[in-house]
Amino acid sequence: MTIKPMEEQLRIIIRGTEEIINLAELKNKLSLQRPLIVKAGFDPSAPDIHLGHTVLLRKMKHFQALGHDVYFLIGDFTGRIGDPSGKSKIRPQLTSDEVKANAKTYKKQIFKILDKNKTKVVFNSKWCSVLGTEGIFDLASRYTVARMLERDDFLNRYKSKMPISILEFLYPLLQGYDSVVMKADIELGGTDQKFNLLVGRDMQRSFGQETQVIITMPILEGLDGVQKMSKSLGNYIGISENPDEMFGKIMSITDTLMWRYYELLTDIDYEKIKKDVGQGKQHPKDVKINLAKTIVSEYHGHELAEKAKHNFERVFAQKKLPGDMPEYCFDVESAPSAAVVSESLGMSRSEARRLIVQGAVFYDGIKVEDVNKIITFDPKGRVLKAGKRRFCKVFRRS
Amino acid sequence: MTIKPMEEQLRIIIRGTEEIINLAELKNKLSLQRPLIVKAGFDPSAPDIHLGHTVLLRKMKHFQALGHDVYFLIGDFTGRIGDPSGKSKIRPQLTSDEVKANAKTYKKQIFKILDKNKTKVVFNSKWCSVLGTEGIFDLASRYTVARMLERDDFLNRYKSKMPISILEFLYPLLQGYDSVVMKADIELGGTDQKFNLLVGRDMQRSFGQETQVIITMPILEGLDGVQKMSKSLGNYIGISENPDEMFGKIMSITDTLMWRYYELLTDIDYEKIKKDVGQGKQHPKDVKINLAKTIVSEYHGHELAEKAKHNFERVFAQKKLPGDMPEYCFDVESAPSAAVVSESLGMSRSEARRLIVQGAVFYDGIKVEDVNKIITFDPKGRVLKAGKRRFCKVFRRS
């Protein structure tokens, strides 16, 4: 493939980045007119990918599109230690089997974004497992305690007397050693990885190599617009979620967050659109629908994205029921409301109870007031609605 | 052998110690009425033993005499890292061959003090070299950075921005692991080893073992009475030095230091003697001669010690020449004084020159004033004297 001019490459690379250390080195590397070795490391212990992870994956995709060699590094060796970044506890070490299973799950997901044929998936156990004691000692002799304690997380924990195990000091050294072995030109990571990426530069220098350019990507805010998107906070959009769910979740974000998502989750040149909205030439809701359609298309294709848009507009804009409502058939004549909601809509009993208590559950158009309220089924089917976006037609087996 | 009563054992063990952590545990272990596992570790990088080292070796000897199992642990694995205790620089790693050669030299010397048949010489490479990466990670996960930085040396260096390599944090963990593997009941060491010995207790606790009692021995002052005895400071008495040299050096120490040496380098119950000297019942010089004779006897036997005493008294007390003066024969008629002193007395040319310049060299009773002064030899021999204790009868081959 032909290599794009420097300015064009830079425009694509810089979009959405938090920090580049440093731009002069990056320009120098790009001027070499050869495919650069681009590294991004992933912890095999958390392979359930959501849009927050795709900020980094999309940047890798950009490098692929520009003709560079992108390495998806699975830290299966370091994963057994557990990256301490921002964590105050040592993680339980994963077994070899768990690491393998997680790596497989990872691969299944990332190729929804990355080009499978252009992505080199590598495992750092390949070179780390042969380091041996001597190798670990050698790495440990190349870095000082003081530099390690410069890391914000470590320093804060040290000052506030929270334990830092000595094992945690070995993690960044190993991650840096990955860059040495891979002869990385560029390493990508989240802003929370900045310290580790810098150690990579130091280790390369210590081994007499040219240092990698590091590019950090911002941490994406979740649906609430405040906290980092994360599974445990429940403010996330998984890339395997169904089109309707994904579409609806994107439509629920604020207009401010919308521009952030445009920048980090699409390639659309949104500045013009933003200006139009500012001048009242476009309606924010239409722009948000366009965002949702773009993102859903990326994971489910154009057709399903159109359908999701259609369903969304029917339900919310026109206050109608979705056209393709799921159906659920009970074998009994009646059942308590919490059980009915939980079973037919596939949620936990506690979530069902919470929605009922919040007054968000309707059966046949009438609010269900009590978690113990007995619901009687109809062989012709009646509509059960829970929350804003969950519907089910409930039947009694006739 | 019969085990001595607790009080008798304690009296012997406690003599000369700096600190015992802790006495209650020690009593408890002694009450078990079984041979205790007593460990002392030695760095294979400095095998030239002087009286300073014998403070610890003599304490090991006491435990042997009391029927306990004494392990002389050669840290051939940890020696490759280099114990950072009190040092601000990383030592060059020793090669495997150097470690072996040094260990051999060690063994040759220690059995002048320890009972060869009762001493178990072990090498920590036996268990450390099979630890592997996983083993190192496991040890590193058992200790915190904060506890490591509690060590005075580390904290001082951290605060004064002197580098501490991360490798140095691994050393105490490995030394502690030695105690785990050996199931040590007691670990002996110099006061500069206190931190490492305490880590041994922590590591045993972490592995679910009963903790070792640690016993620290003071660091012996050298001949100057101020600085720690050390080869590099030149204030030492090597255990392989000849009887006359050893005797003379001991006689050169101050009366204050004499009591310290009595306590740490002999088993003599010197309190009574000290009292006698205080009351003028004994002359300090006689008491010092007794000390010198005792120490020289330990390394050269009673007969040579008596002879050294005799020589010392003739030369210094009676200002006469020693009875067994060495002789040296030159093939030429004459030579410059520095060369003569250097060759006949076996010292470096620069040392010879220094002594001449200091006015400490006499030939046939006349001071040699100049390093270039030509000395003419006599077939009947004439006495050459350099410094206080070095004599040689110099001949011209006839």
Side-chain angles (χ1 to χ4, degrees), chain B residues 156-195:
Chain B
N156 291 338
R157 281 159 66 195
Y158 178 60
K159 283 184 176 167
S160 61
K161 302 195 191 302
M162 300 281 288
I164 307 163
S165 102
I166 290 162
L167 182 60
E168 296 183 72
F169 273 17
L170 300 180
Y171 188 96
L173 300 180
L174 288 164
Q175 182 166 330
Y177 181 63
D178 290 344
S179 293
V180 172
V181 174
M182 296 172 71
K183 296 189 173 61
D185 288 305
I186 293 170
E187 183 164 6
L188 306 175
T191 49
D192 56 351
Q193 283 292 309
K194 182 177 170 185
F195 180 86

Side-chain angles (χ1 to χ4, degrees), chain A residues 140 143-145 164-167, chain B residues 140 143-145 148 164-167:
Chain A
Y143 217 80
T144 69
V145 171
I164 306 163
S165 103
I166 291 162
L167 181 59
Chain B
Y143 217 78
T144 68
V145 171
M148 207 54 94
I164 307 163
S165 102
I166 290 162
L167 182 60

Side-chain angles (χ1 to χ4, degrees), chain A residues 107-173:
Chain A
K107 284 193 196 175
K108 227 161 54 187
Q109 299 171 80
I110 59 169
F111 295 132
K112 289 184 181 175
I113 297 150
L114 297 174
D115 184 334
K116 190 172 181 171
N117 298 317
K118 288 183 184 167
T119 308
K120 297 183 174 79
V121 178
V122 289
F123 296 80
N124 68 358
S125 59
K126 191 180 168 189
W127 48 83
C128 286
S129 63
V130 295
L131 269 172
T133 328
E134 294 281 322
I136 299 291
F137 288 173
D138 177 60
L139 296 182
S141 74
R142 292 172 187 265
Y143 217 80
T144 69
V145 171
R147 283 216 73 172
M148 207 55 92
L149 277 175
E150 283 173 11
R151 175 173 170 154
D152 288 342
D153 167 50
F154 285 151
L155 192 61
N156 291 339
R157 281 158 68 193
Y158 177 60
K159 283 184 175 166
S160 62
K161 302 197 192 301
M162 300 282 287
I164 306 163
S165 103
I166 291 162
L167 181 59
E168 297 182 72
F169 273 18
L170 300 180
Y171 187 95
L173 300 180

Side-chain angles (χ1 to χ4, degrees), chain B residues 4-15:
Chain B
K4 288 196 174 160
M6 167 91 77
E7 283 310 311
E8 171 70 358
Q9 288 206 49
L10 277 179
R11 193 188 56 76
I12 295 169
I13 292 170
I14 291 171
R15 176 183 174 134

Side-chain angles (χ1 to χ4, degrees), chain B residues 319-351:
Chain B
K319 300 279 177 200
K320 285 187 184 166
L321 298 180
D324 55 350
M325 200 186 301
E327 299 185 342
Y328 195 90
C329 199
F330 284 89
D331 289 330
V332 292
E333 294 220 335
S334 63
S337 62
V340 173
V341 172
S342 155
E343 202 170 330
S344 61
L345 291 168
M347 64 180 71
S348 72
R349 196 66 65 98
S350 60
E351 192 178 358

